[in-house]
Amino acid sequence: AQKVTQAQTEISVVEKEDVTLDCVYETRDTTYYLFWYKQPPSGELVFLIRRNSFDEQNEISGRYSWNFQKSTSSFNFTITASQVVDSAVYFCALSALNRDDKIIFGKGTRLHILP
Amino acid sequence: NAGVTQTPKFRVLKTGQSMTLLCAQDMNHEYMYWYRQDPGMGLRLIHYSVGEGTTAKGEVPDGYNVSRLKKQNFLLGLESAAPSQTSVYFCASSYARVSPLHFGNGTRLTVT
């Protein structure tokens, strides 16, 4: 069975601190894709990144970085020097290529950046 | 670029009433999805479609029906609304199964 676990329900940090959001996944497939989405207080869902299972290279985009480790089945998301605009709910998701067409989401982590 | 458009944005129903939520995308995507979002539950897949004329059940399909008569539209129907269906509903589309999802802005439905 496929599963995505975001153990941190809610996190609060002070602005400019670094924060890491954890994502642990389960799948028996060897080919799969992992995603992160952001849902700001306005409610829309925005795609942030996609990673496939054959590419374990870390990704950096500005203040955002992602650490993919197959050995621990984790795809963690770090925000460096957090800003108030980073306050949102963040979702991790999994899609396995050889399974059915479902994309499985974690329950999300609500991030509060305090000024 | 409209992307994914959901109508209506808000709706209040009484128990037992029916309604249809419309999702339209202008990106020529094959895959379309309906999710519901409830506090603490994340996004749960209701139904999805892998192309015009096809539909399939997701994680929580009971009480809902869907149709995909045209490639650009994906309709979600509630035949007899229940308070448990109070939720925020999101439609999404993607080019392929493993492509990023493009979401609509959501429909907030309250069933009293």
Side-chain angles (χ1 to χ4, degrees):
Chain A
Q2 296 188 115
K3 188 177 179 181
V4 175
T5 302
Q6 295 181 255
Q8 304 149 308
T9 305
E10 205 158 341
I11 301 174
S12 295
V13 300
V14 176
E15 198 173 17
K16 297 184 183 176
E17 287 185 353
D18 299 347
V19 58
T20 295
L21 308 182
D22 297 333
C23 173
V24 174
Y25 62 92
E26 294 176 29
T27 181
R28 282 178 282 186
D29 291 277
T30 56
T31 303
Y32 52 89
Y33 289 75
L34 295 161
F35 304 81
W36 276 95
Y37 290 85
K38 175 182 180 180
Q39 186 177 39
S42 50
E44 73 272 22
L45 283 146
V46 179
F47 163 74
L48 294 178
I49 190 171
R50 181 185 73 169
R51 241 5 201 187
N52 73 59
S53 53
F54 297 107
D55 183 2
E56 285 192 77
Q57 193 170 9
N58 289 338
E59 177 103 5
I60 298 175
S61 177
R63 296 183 296 105
Y64 293 175
S65 62
W66 290 269
N67 182 299
F68 176 29
Q69 290 195 331
K70 288 176 76 169
S71 60
T72 56
S73 297
S74 64
F75 186 43
N76 296 338
F77 174 29
T78 297
I79 301 175
T80 303
S82 60
Q83 299 176 3
V84 172
V85 294
D86 296 325
S87 295
V89 180
Y90 291 87
F91 292 97
C92 183
L94 165 70
S95 179
L97 195 62
N98 295 319
R99 291 284 168 177
D100 54 32
D101 300 283
K102 299 171 188 174
I103 298 173
I104 303 298
F105 281 81
K107 293 185 177 181
T109 296
R110 184 176 296 275
L111 177 63
H112 299 278
I113 308 297
L114 308 172
Chain B
N1 255 351
V4 179
T5 303
Q6 289 182 236
T7 53
K9 288 184 171 52
F10 302 94
R11 186 71 186 267
V12 178
L13 288 179
K14 293 185 177 178
T15 298
Q17 288 185 321
S18 63
M19 77 163 295
T20 300
L21 280 66
L22 172 64
C23 177
Q25 53 95 3
D26 62 1
M27 297 171 283
N28 202 34
H29 284 169
E30 291 291 340
Y31 289 73
M32 296 189 74
Y33 305 83
W34 276 107
Y35 288 90
R36 60 178 289 173
Q37 184 177 20
D38 303 291
M41 300 298 290
L43 290 159
R44 292 183 293 170
L45 183 63
I46 304 170
H47 286 283
Y48 62 100
S49 168
V50 302
E52 181 179 314
T54 75
T55 62
K57 294 180 180 179
E59 301 169 72
V60 288
D62 294 342
Y64 305 94
N65 56 73
V66 288
S67 64
R68 184 108 181 261
L69 298 179
K70 292 184 179 181
K71 185 176 184 178
Q72 64 267 34
N73 295 336
F74 194 29
L75 278 62
L76 177 71
L78 287 72
E79 290 185 346
S80 179
S84 60
Q85 294 177 305
T86 293
S87 188
V88 179
Y89 291 86
F90 284 96
C91 176
S93 72
S94 66
Y95 175 72
R97 182 194 302 175
V98 295
S99 300
L101 296 176
H102 297 256
F103 283 90
N105 286 333
T107 296
R108 185 173 294 275
L109 174 66
T110 301
V111 183
T112 60

